[in-house]
Amino acid sequence: MLVLDDNALLDRVWRLRDHGRVPGDTMFLNEEVGWKYKMSSMQAALGLAQLERLDELVDGKRRVFGWYREMLDGWNEATLNPDVPGLYNSYWMSTVVLDSRLGITKETLIPALRNAGIDSRPFFSPLSSLPAFCPHPAGEGGPLAQSCGLCAYAIRDQPAERH
């Protein structure tokens, strides 16, 4: 689901989501490469049901993030999602960036958290570091992107499934 307040961007989205055709085109003259990502009626109904519960869902995410903030308060080797003045953070995913000097790797931390019942996953890697983009690298990425890929983790707001 996409919500916009920019008509030019909306027109661009409409074009791309219909195989790159101009809105209203009935001759199927694709002017650029686009895609055909449409929601089914069922997906739209589920999305609407989630929107009707938006305040409840965001409040729950913010409550869980508050617990993480409280538990990690005073520990200077980790940084959580920042609060930015003028923005209301929904905390879609609680993210923690560990100080690289701790020497903790994804390969050791994620299984340890899972064993403690905490679901987590690595933070997004810079696109330029992913194998799918190796034939067309845009560069190595900046130092911040590289360090986040190595030291940042997304902590779920639900217990981990044990295998």
Side-chain angles (χ1 to χ4, degrees):
M1 185 172 298
L2 182 62
V3 180
L4 299 171
D5 64 356
D6 180 330
N7 287 333
L9 183 55
L10 178 63
D11 290 343
R12 178 85 176 123
V13 168
W14 277 107
R15 179 183 292 236
L16 290 175
R17 75 100 173 113
D18 196 19
H19 296 295
R21 297 184 323 158
V22 174
D25 170 44
T26 58
M27 304 309 286
F28 300 96
L29 299 173
N30 303 55
E31 293 185 357
E32 62 185 311
V33 175
W35 302 268
K36 190 70 167 186
Y37 297 128
K38 285 187 174 180
M39 280 191 263
S40 68
S41 295
M42 179 62 76
Q43 290 168 322
L46 289 171
L48 181 58
Q50 293 292 69
L51 279 176
E52 290 171 354
R53 299 181 49 222
L54 187 60
D55 290 340
E56 170 193 345
L57 296 170
V58 171
D59 287 347
K61 295 279 190 182
R62 291 179 63 83
R63 184 173 47 257
V64 170
F65 183 82
W67 295 336
Y68 284 123
R69 178 180 282 141
E70 188 177 306
M71 287 185 284
L72 295 174
D73 186 43
W75 190 50
N76 297 324
E77 285 79 21
T79 304
L80 293 169
N81 308 41
D83 277 322
V84 178
L87 296 178
Y88 186 79
N89 196 328
S90 67
Y91 297 108
W92 166 70
M93 186 74 75
S94 296
T95 303
V96 61
V97 180
L98 297 180
D99 188 319
S100 61
R101 293 173 292 189
L102 292 171
I104 299 173
T105 66
K106 295 182 243 193
E107 293 78 16
T108 57
L109 181 64
I110 292 172
L113 288 172
R114 183 172 302 274
N115 288 338
I118 302 169
D119 194 17
S120 66
R121 65 173 178 81
F123 192 70
F124 302 103
S125 297
L127 291 179
S128 59
S129 72
L130 299 177
F133 294 97
C134 284
H136 309 286
E140 296 301 314
L144 180 59
Q146 291 298 324
S147 68
C148 283
L150 296 173
C151 303
Y153 304 88
I155 304 170
R156 297 285 310 273
D157 59 350
Q158 300 169 6
E161 292 180 22
R162 298 197 180 204
H163 301 285

